Amino acid sequence: PESVVFVDDSPMELDEVKAAFPAMTCLLFPTKRAAKCVELLDELRSLFGKGTVQREDALRGASIRANAAMQTSAVGSADGAFVRGLEGCVTFDCRKDPSNQRIPELINKTNQFNLNGVRTSTGEWLKQIQDENSLVVGVSSADKFGPLGTIGALAGRRVKNELEVTSWVLSCRAFSRRIEDHMLDHVFQHHGISTVRLNFRRTERNEPLRRYLAGLGLELELEPGAGADVLLSPEQFYNQIGELPHRVRLQNE
């Protein structure tokens, strides 16, 4: 509901929808005042408009359709064999580029696979990437069903060989492809991290991430809104995941 804007010319209809879905934005369509129509269009533009169109925006519709095709093809297939058969490639980009707004956009819009639901402002993000000890990882993916664009991000701060992860998100378009496994593998293997400290907080919608952590042996029985630091070692991780399915490349390779 929080992703929907409902427009109607009936105040009664608006009240009924608002009562059923309190998180939904409900706007009155003015039938007799042209100036108010212009104001409504301005408000809709502010809700839906974007200052710039990124590559991922162009890919989104096609990748949603491709994901549906993938899910259909997966029916009746063994998960491991099917994912390996995707002929996938994941690409990691660790550049701290302030002009790359895709990563903060993912952090601010992703709900299901989201470490803690914490959002970031432009100023906070710029301050984070200017920290010489910060680590930012963006991940894009492509397979035989087509490119997904940048669909995952992980950010945190490194202290010696420990990485404190403050943000970790993955688009629902990338579910079932084991991209999350590749992200942790990249952190351990490419950055030489011996301990990952996850700043987890349970939200009303991040059950997919909590289930993923449980699959790694990290059970978190927390009430919504409660949080905890979760420690993960390479041994714990590799004892659970088995063989990774995709090819991996680094940006500019």
Side-chain angles (χ1 to χ4, degrees):
E2 67 272 13
S3 300
V4 174
V5 175
F6 178 74
V7 181
D8 199 280
D9 63 354
S10 167
M12 184 184 73
E13 296 283 0
L14 292 172
D15 285 348
E16 185 176 0
V17 171
K18 192 69 175 176
F21 304 103
M24 190 177 292
T25 299
C26 296
L27 301 176
L28 179 67
F29 185 90
T31 56
K32 297 180 180 179
R33 299 178 63 187
K36 289 294 182 181
C37 286
V38 175
E39 290 179 11
L40 173 64
L41 292 175
D42 281 341
E43 186 168 2
L44 290 173
R45 182 175 62 181
S46 69
L47 289 167
F48 292 103
K50 299 190 68 171
T52 58
V53 177
Q54 302 180 68
R55 174 173 175 266
E56 282 71 20
D57 298 313
L59 288 173
R60 182 175 175 82
S63 66
I64 288 173
R65 290 189 291 272
N67 195 55
M70 190 205 79
Q71 299 295 341
T72 300
S73 298
V75 174
S77 301
D79 288 346
F82 178 77
V83 175
R84 286 192 298 273
L86 290 175
E87 303 168 9
C89 178
V90 293
T91 301
F92 292 100
D93 185 354
C94 299
R95 295 172 297 176
K96 300 178 185 179
D97 182 1
S99 67
N100 181 2
Q101 292 302 301
R102 176 58 178 166
I103 290 180
E105 179 184 72
L106 272 172
I107 292 172
N108 288 332
K109 292 178 65 175
T110 305
N111 293 306
Q112 294 183 61
F113 198 98
N114 188 313
L115 183 64
N116 47 35
V118 173
R119 309 308 190 188
T120 184
S121 67
T122 300
E124 291 168 339
W125 180 248
L126 291 176
K127 182 178 179 180
Q128 181 170 358
I129 64 176
Q130 288 166 1
D131 183 348
E132 63 179 12
N133 293 316
S134 67
L135 176 66
V136 176
V137 179
V139 59
S140 58
S141 175
D143 55 40
K144 67 180 184 181
F145 287 98
L148 296 179
T150 302
I151 37 73
L154 182 149
R157 192 172 191 275
R158 179 172 181 162
V159 180
K160 296 183 178 179
N161 291 330
E162 179 177 293
L163 177 65
E164 180 182 13
V165 179
T166 52
S167 297
W168 184 20
V169 296
L170 184 68
S171 169
C172 58
R173 290 183 289 128
F175 285 4
S176 305
R177 286 174 165 87
R178 296 190 61 192
I179 306 297
E180 57 272 36
D181 288 335
H182 277 279
M183 293 178 78
L184 288 177
D185 174 68
H186 172 79
V187 167
F188 284 127
Q189 295 290 339
H190 188 73
H191 298 281
I193 298 298
S194 59
T195 303
V196 169
R197 181 184 297 271
L198 300 167
N199 293 167
F200 178 81
R201 182 172 66 88
R202 186 175 181 183
T203 71
E204 293 182 352
R205 300 184 63 184
N206 68 351
E207 185 63 18
L209 191 141
R210 192 174 78 91
R211 287 199 304 269
Y212 174 71
L213 294 179
L216 296 178
L218 303 172
E219 295 283 354
L220 295 166
E221 298 299 332
L222 299 171
E223 296 295 324
D229 279 355
V230 183
L231 298 180
L232 181 65
S233 69
E235 294 76 18
Q236 288 174 287
F237 176 65
Y238 290 111
N239 283 340
Q240 297 293 335
I241 64 162
E243 182 182 359
L244 292 172
H246 304 303
R247 291 183 296 112
V248 174
R249 62 183 292 268
L250 302 180
Q251 186 70 33
N252 297 327
E253 276 191 351

